[in-house]
Amino acid sequence: MNLIILLLPIIAIVLMFRSQKKRQQQQQQMQTALEPGAGVRTIGGLYAQVKAVNEETVELEIAPGVITHFTKSAVAAVLDPQEYDAIINGRPADDELPEPEAEDAEPVEAKPLTLTKDSAEKGDAEGGAPASK
């Protein structure tokens, strides 16, 4: 019983270090994969395009003609070209496109709302307000 109590925290610590190391490796691979022309998102939520990659920094174009310098660790994600284009230009992804309405569908006739005494007596069945007592 005492052995289980001692092993549980040790196992938890080993698992935490292992997952942290895995995340660091993924971050390192992403930073080495940076190349000019790629769309990125920074840790601050800024979307930009990579213009140049240096040893420790990366030059990002945040607006046409506006280039800023960030550390490589400030880049949170490298985006696919389609995803970057959709975010920057506001284009929906292919699966989010609205479906065209059917041409043979009959339009729904909207009944105008009336606030007359007659409709109040009829109640909600006819679309009027419920009768007050």
Side-chain angles (χ1 to χ4, degrees), residues 34-69:
L34 283 174
E35 57 186 31
V40 296
R41 183 182 69 236
T42 65
I43 57 175
L46 181 78
Y47 291 94
Q49 191 170 25
V50 177
K51 286 299 176 185
V53 179
N54 304 318
E55 281 187 36
E56 296 180 12
T57 62
V58 67
E59 295 177 15
L60 301 178
E61 184 175 31
I62 58 174
V66 180
I67 297 178
T68 59
H69 297 269

Side-chain angles (χ1 to χ4, degrees), residues 1-8:
M1 183 67 175
N2 288 337
L3 184 62
I4 294 174
I5 293 173
L6 291 175
L7 286 179
L8 234 71

Side-chain angles (χ1 to χ4, degrees), residues 98-108:
E99 294 183 19
E101 294 184 20
E103 294 179 14
D104 58 342
E106 294 181 24
V108 178

Side-chain angles (χ1 to χ4, degrees), residues 73-104:
S73 62
V75 176
V78 177
L79 306 172
D80 293 331
Q82 294 88 5
E83 182 182 3
Y84 179 75
D85 186 46
I87 291 170
I88 297 301
N89 297 320
R91 297 182 183 137
D94 292 338
D95 58 347
E96 296 177 3
L97 291 175
E99 294 183 19
E101 294 184 20
E103 294 179 14
D104 58 342

Side-chain angles (χ1 to χ4, degrees), residues 87-133:
I87 291 170
I88 297 301
N89 297 320
R91 297 182 183 137
D94 292 338
D95 58 347
E96 296 177 3
L97 291 175
E99 294 183 19
E101 294 184 20
E103 294 179 14
D104 58 342
E106 294 181 24
V108 178
E109 188 176 317
K111 293 183 180 180
L113 178 64
T114 60
L115 299 174
T116 62
K117 218 176 201 186
D118 294 335
S119 65
E121 291 173 3
K122 293 178 184 177
D124 262 333
E126 295 293 322
S132 58
K133 295 184 180 182

